[in-house]
Amino acid sequence: MTPLSPGAVQVGPRYELQECVAKGDVTPVIGLLEEHFEEIAQQEFDWLHELLDIGCSFEEMARLLIDGEVSSPWIPIETPFSASKPPSIGLHQPNCVHSGGRKLDTRPRVNSVGLLKTHEALPMSKIKEMIGECCGIAGVLPPNSNPPWWRSGSSLVHFTGERNSVAWISYSKPGVISDLQTLSLNILGALDSILCTIGFLQEVGLCCDSFTILRLEESNKAIELCRVPLSLIKNLRMTVEHWKGNILDSHQRQGCFKSAREIIRSILGDLGTAEIAKIFDTDDPYTTLNVCALVVQILFLGILSYSQAHTGHLRPEFLFEPLEEVHLLGTSMVEFMSRKHVVVELLDFACMKDMLQDSVLVFRLSSDVFGSPSRDSQNSDWITKYDLFASPEDLADTWGPARFVTDSTHGHRLLAIEVGGGTIIRAATGEEKEEKLHWSAGPAPYRAQKLTFNSRDKVLIGATTVNDKCPLDEHKSWRHPLTNAYIQHLGTRDHSWELRERQAGFQGGQYAILQFNATYIKQNGVTLKQQQLMLPFNEIDLAFLNSNCGLQISFCTGLSRRVALRELLADVVVPFIESRLAKPAHWEELKTQYAIVENFRHGDLETWFDQLSLSLRETAIHIVRSMLEVLKDTGIDRNGEELVIAWVRKESPYSCLRLRCEKTSLWARILADSEDCATFACITPLCLEIRQHACRNLEVAPWHNVSNLLDTEVCQHLSNRDIQTVTNTLAPWTLQHQVSYWIGKSGTNLIAKVWLTNEDAEPRLVVRQKVIPEKYRARLPRVMVERLGRLREKQIGDSIAKQVVILAQI
């Protein structure tokens, strides 16, 4: 618990509270809070007022204080979700990568149906939460969730490392020797849970009849993406079922061992399988069950990793700290940590890390065969970076949505893979069999037909090699006048040449594009903005252009307002295009004859696009996509500390201003990109005023580096359970005076309190950031957090919303 301030008197209610919390005695803690709350909730305990704001009772507050003091790695969950639907062998999602997808129409396409939805049938965050509760940590659940003992974290998980970042999993309970029958029944039950979890993934559209894992591959120092077929798991379940009826039958035992070994081979490869066989190569039935238990742990953890695209730390909802490393021991005791076993750890790709923006979870044997340096090294240059060895099909299944650019005469021969906002292609020189593929951001030119690759064969994707004999003088090259003409601001690039080449290839029938449906994106943290920028190059979404994703900041007053994205683009399209030496084809025609600016600002875009010829529509889409690509880095930066605002002028189209999200500008943190919020921000010369913030009346004004408030609309952010309730009741929604709501991106801990001065004025939402210490905040029960409603900005046209003014608490 937070100690009292230095010099504080060690008597009184706060001191008594610390003593009672340290003893773990709930009743006296409740009594002290009830009788002396105002005396206690001061200084280092001032954050207790925040708990009252979200409706926390004194009993809940007392239990939270004790839980935080105990510092258990587990976060309580009430009743874990348990999947019940068995999976189907041979099942494939509509237009999945395994069944060939569908041929994409490469003509310019304006999507008038709208890719934005008011809500998904089941949000991806909720699906991942449910998968986490099915899988646990390699099958192990929090002790308070009342699982059977062989799945209880109180006895089966040993945490080590800084901040409990390493977990050791063993299905052996200290002091308990299970009989063969009990062990076989437990493993059979775990396999049933695994199969039903895969059935749930099939049901929500996350997988077909297989899933993938990553493993460290010794032969070429790469990370291999491996496919695990559902049929192997069903076969193991069947052999365990047969064996448990006659547990001493050696023939049945050997069949069970063989089935388990096949799964290990699909995950750890031949070398890993041979190493495992050396350890467990005996006729002892306990050894066979140990191998089966290890397979169960691998499968549980593999499915959990697959559900998050193998990207980033493992952090299910029931763990206080994320896991960087997991050791799987089967039924071996934790005391035998030195014995070879399976490890899952975070490693880094080479170029693919630029796409994923994170490390990946990789399976390997515990022996340090590669001598890879620790990730804790202070010098990141010493961290080994690995190429990816994967088939394009498995890559698309794991990190989709993806598109294959194919030779029009050979459907499985690929020229490129479009994935993650970039393109994977072969290099331009060298022998085809020896070349790596490489991912780079944005579109890329497609090379000659001889440089194709097969969609089902594994290829090596990695960084380019370095020629250390190159005579380049960087300083002299920088000063060269022809080089200086191409220097631009960071984060910008003109893709027009690549787009023209690609369009010519498609129109000539040389290339075709295969697109694969992706119900959900598995990778964590993919925002609405990123999803839109992943659309095919020839496509735009009208619902997105009409959504309130634009943000205007008045240079004169510093006030901000949300506008339709199309309106923001109308503000800057002329200086953006006319700053270029080479302007897009048909630009003058679009600007004068078809009034692109006026129609984007006030018109019906669907009707406007329909009246354009194919070539004019192609140019208009190209302009929109290019502008969005340039403006994508505006909004709240990755650290959540600054609002990046583009200032697009003809003489300097790539300039920006940065505003710190603190003090009176703290409210700006609600603009952070998320699954349901996107922000493209630009300076406007319009003088946006309110009574307290009027025009400065200056012809030449300095930037004052502050924005005091935002004029926007907000609506309810409903949970899946609430959606059905609202649909059934159709009750009107109102904001109530002095009622608080969560607001902004989940995890930012921003609360907005409503202030209504009179019925006619726009409500004011006063934003502040909660200060509950992390060790307590993470342990807040979900039901407690959900007592406060959540607001989000309206960005979809048909949402029921209220016009408000948002400002920070001063």
Side-chain angles (χ1 to χ4, degrees), residues 89-389:
I89 292 180
L91 181 143
H92 287 281
Q93 303 297 334
N95 293 315
C96 73
V97 67
H98 310 111
S99 56
R102 61 184 176 87
K103 191 172 181 179
L104 183 68
D105 185 352
T106 57
R107 291 176 299 177
R109 181 179 175 214
V110 178
N111 191 324
S112 58
V113 176
L115 301 179
L116 298 181
K117 301 176 183 177
T118 52
H119 60 82
E120 296 171 310
L122 199 59
M124 188 60 184
S125 57
K126 180 63 178 176
I127 289 174
K128 290 186 177 182
E129 180 184 311
M130 295 162 77
I131 294 169
E133 292 176 6
C134 287
C135 294
I137 311 172
V140 180
L141 293 170
N144 64 291
S145 61
N146 297 316
W149 74 261
W150 59 275
R151 295 194 68 181
S152 173
S154 61
S155 55
L156 305 183
V157 183
H158 177 67
F159 290 96
T160 61
E162 185 179 357
R163 300 174 69 91
N164 292 323
S165 61
V166 180
W168 299 75
I169 316 291
S170 169
Y171 286 173
S172 287
K173 187 175 182 180
V176 176
I177 300 177
S178 299
D179 60 83
L180 292 172
Q181 195 70 32
T182 300
L183 279 174
S184 63
L185 285 171
N186 290 343
I187 288 169
L188 193 63
L191 288 169
D192 284 336
S193 296
I194 289 166
L195 288 169
C196 287
T197 302
I198 295 173
F200 176 67
L201 265 66
Q202 289 182 338
E203 185 179 2
V204 297
L206 272 180
C207 78
C208 296
D209 66 347
S210 61
F211 65 93
T212 65
I213 61 97
L214 291 171
R215 72 175 177 91
L216 208 52
E217 210 279 323
E218 182 181 16
S219 60
N220 55 13
K221 304 297 187 289
I223 295 172
E224 183 175 0
L225 184 63
C226 304
R227 186 185 301 184
V228 183
L230 170 61
S231 57
L232 292 183
I233 306 171
K234 280 203 166 186
N235 188 54
L236 176 59
R237 196 253 177 237
M238 182 180 66
T239 56
V240 173
E241 171 76 25
H242 291 162
W243 183 35
K244 78 174 179 62
N246 189 357
I247 202 71
L248 298 178
D249 187 315
S250 62
H251 177 72
Q252 297 283 7
R253 183 197 64 76
Q254 289 171 3
C256 199
F257 187 86
K258 182 179 178 182
S259 297
R261 190 172 56 190
E262 285 304 308
I263 294 176
I264 291 174
R265 178 174 284 109
S266 71
I267 294 172
L268 296 180
D270 291 335
L271 177 63
T273 306
E275 291 293 330
I276 293 292
K278 289 179 186 177
I279 303 169
F280 299 112
D281 190 15
T282 75
D283 291 329
D284 182 7
Y286 277 103
T287 299
T288 299
L289 287 171
N290 193 351
V291 174
C292 291
L294 181 63
V295 168
V296 163
Q297 292 170 349
I298 291 171
L299 292 174
F300 269 130
L301 202 56
I303 292 169
L304 183 62
S305 177
Y306 173 74
S307 72
Q308 64 183 58
H310 311 301
T311 308
H313 295 80
L314 282 170
R315 190 170 189 176
E317 295 289 321
F318 49 79
L319 278 187
F320 180 63
E321 295 288 352
L323 292 175
E324 297 182 356
E325 195 173 299
V326 181
H327 295 254
L328 306 178
L329 307 175
T331 59
S332 300
M333 299 297 290
V334 174
E335 288 77 6
F336 301 110
M337 290 180 181
S338 59
R339 187 175 184 178
K340 279 191 178 180
H341 55 275
V342 176
V343 182
V344 181
E345 63 181 342
L346 287 169
L347 298 176
D348 287 338
F349 281 132
C351 65
M352 289 294 289
K353 185 171 183 181
D354 294 334
M355 182 187 93
L356 299 175
Q357 295 292 305
D358 212 334
S359 303
V360 288
L361 292 159
V362 181
F363 286 76
R364 68 170 177 86
L365 281 178
S366 58
S367 55
D368 195 12
V369 291
F370 296 101
S372 55
S374 168
R375 294 189 50 79
D376 295 331
S377 169
Q378 295 298 312
N379 186 349
S380 61
D381 293 339
W382 287 97
I383 297 176
T384 303
K385 296 188 176 182
Y386 297 92
D387 294 337
L388 169 65
F389 188 52

Side-chain angles (χ1 to χ4, degrees), residues 505-538:
F506 293 128
Q507 291 163 2
Q510 182 182 356
Y511 312 142
I513 288 187
L514 297 178
Q515 178 164 287
F516 314 108
N517 285 357
T519 307
Y520 295 100
I521 298 175
K522 299 182 185 76
Q523 187 180 342
N524 290 332
V526 176
T527 65
L528 173 61
K529 184 187 287 184
Q530 290 170 323
Q531 290 181 48
Q532 289 291 320
L533 294 173
M534 289 179 186
L535 289 176
F537 71 93
N538 62 319

